[in-house]
Amino acid sequence: MEWKLFAHLRDAADGQSVSVDIEGEATVEAALDALLAARPALAEEVLDENEELADHIRVLVDGEDPFAAGEGLATPVDEGTELALFPPVSGG
């Protein structure tokens, strides 16, 4: 399974994408745990003080927000699922 990373998260992970393997039940949470295990520097960027996904970080599963369109971190995923992780974006 592959995570696509954007903006400064790419720098923290040393790349724009990271492949992860998941053992057991494949959910967004399991995929995120595998990503953070593979690239520990990302934890500082995406987790809050309670070690939960920070409010300002956005996750997309096959182009959709799993918190709005699915089961949040419990959303099932499989090898073909496209995962993406975004930091806050501002512009003008």
Side-chain angles (χ1 to χ4, degrees), residues 1-68:
M1 180 167 310
E2 186 168 282
W3 280 95
K4 298 204 182 293
L5 306 171
F6 295 88
H8 71 277
L9 299 179
R10 289 179 174 178
D11 297 332
D14 287 329
Q16 68 182 11
S17 64
V18 177
S19 294
V20 297
D21 292 321
I22 300 172
E23 294 187 23
E25 186 178 355
T27 63
V28 172
E29 184 172 23
L32 182 61
D33 288 346
L35 172 64
L36 298 179
R39 298 293 193 278
L42 276 173
E44 184 177 311
E45 303 293 333
V46 302
L47 300 180
D48 64 15
E49 63 276 355
N50 297 319
E51 298 203 12
E52 295 178 3
L53 186 64
D55 290 338
H56 64 274
I57 297 295
R58 294 293 166 250
V59 175
L60 292 182
V61 177
D62 290 331
E64 295 194 23
D65 181 346
F67 296 94

